[in-house]
């Protein structure tokens, strides 16, 4: 279900993308509204689940987690029950930052973040390959992140 957003709502979202810790007073000033209407709009965006949460952005390099691999996963069974089993299991692997069902010659694309290639090999061999209905995988190693958008 989509939500109708006007220019002020879109401004609120843009400012919050840049700084989720901004005060309501400063947010109101930046978008050109007074505090109370801004606060009401913010509450409506949260209540309608346009805004689904606020998180801290953490620099993975500072945690020695700057190795990124993209893993194609082909399933042996793509009926709904098999997809649900795979989806539930992949959500339990903390190294998998993103998981997307893909319309292609493979079924899922995973973004996997680890400390190094050895750690990735362990995650691939012991966790990803043993997920329900996995028939095969193929890995692409990221050499450099040029642009990355973070979303909770």
């Amino acid at each position: 279900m989509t939500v109708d957003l006007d220019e002020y709502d879109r401004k609120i979202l843009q400012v919050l993308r840049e700084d989720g810790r901004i005060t309501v007073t400063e947010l109101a000033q930046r978008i050109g509204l007074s505090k109370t209407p801004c606060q009401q709009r913010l509450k409506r965006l949260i209540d309608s689940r346009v805004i689904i949460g606020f998180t801290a952005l953490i620099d993975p390099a500072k945690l020695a987690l700057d190795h990124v691999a993209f893993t194609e996963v082909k399933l042996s069974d793509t009926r709904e029950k098999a997809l649900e089993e795979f989806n539930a299991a992949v959500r339990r692997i903390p190294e998998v930052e993103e998981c997307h069902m893909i319309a292609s010659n493979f079924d899922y694309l995973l973004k996997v973040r680890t400390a190094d290639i050895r750690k990735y090999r362990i995650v691939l061999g012991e966790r990803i390959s043993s997920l329900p209905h996995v028939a095969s995988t193929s890995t692409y190693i990221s050499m450099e992140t040029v642009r990355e958008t973070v979303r909770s």
Side-chain angles (χ1 to χ4, degrees), residues 6 11 18 32 34 71 82 113 125 129-130 136 139-140 144:
D6 67 13
K11 285 181 180 180
E18 297 166 9
S34 62
T71 307
R113 185 178 294 278
S129 295
S130 64
S136 64
T139 297
Y140 303 89
E144 177 183 12

Side-chain angles (χ1 to χ4, degrees), residues 19-79:
D19 182 3
R21 294 181 59 159
I22 191 170
T23 66
V24 174
T25 302
E26 188 177 341
L27 177 61
Q29 290 171 350
R30 296 246 325 253
I31 67 165
L33 282 177
S34 62
K35 183 178 175 181
T36 301
C38 181
Q39 199 163 22
Q40 290 169 341
R41 285 172 177 272
L42 182 58
K43 181 178 179 350
R44 183 177 48 79
L45 291 168
I46 292 168
D47 290 347
S48 64
R49 306 227 2 105
V50 171
I51 297 174
I52 57 174
F54 295 88
T55 62
L57 301 179
I58 299 166
D59 182 351
K62 302 269 196 242
L63 303 176
L65 292 173
D66 50 358
H67 181 271
V68 175
F70 293 91
T71 307
E72 293 179 359
V73 177
K74 177 90 173 133
L75 299 183
S76 59
D77 183 355
T78 56
R79 291 175 289 184

Side-chain angles (χ1 to χ4, degrees), residues 65 71-75 85-97 99 110-116 118-137 139:
L65 292 173
T71 307
E72 293 179 359
V73 177
K74 177 90 173 133
L75 299 183
E85 290 170 355
F86 177 86
N87 293 347
V90 78
R91 286 183 185 109
R92 292 190 294 269
I93 302 175
E95 293 86 358
V96 176
E97 282 191 350
C99 175
L110 311 180
K111 179 182 176 186
V112 183
R113 185 178 294 278
T114 58
D116 54 40
R118 280 186 291 265
K119 295 270 196 302
Y120 172 75
R121 190 186 64 74
I122 292 168
V123 170
L124 178 66
E126 295 181 7
R127 296 191 187 138
I128 295 171
S129 295
S130 64
L131 288 168
H133 312 288
V134 170
S136 64
T137 63
T139 297

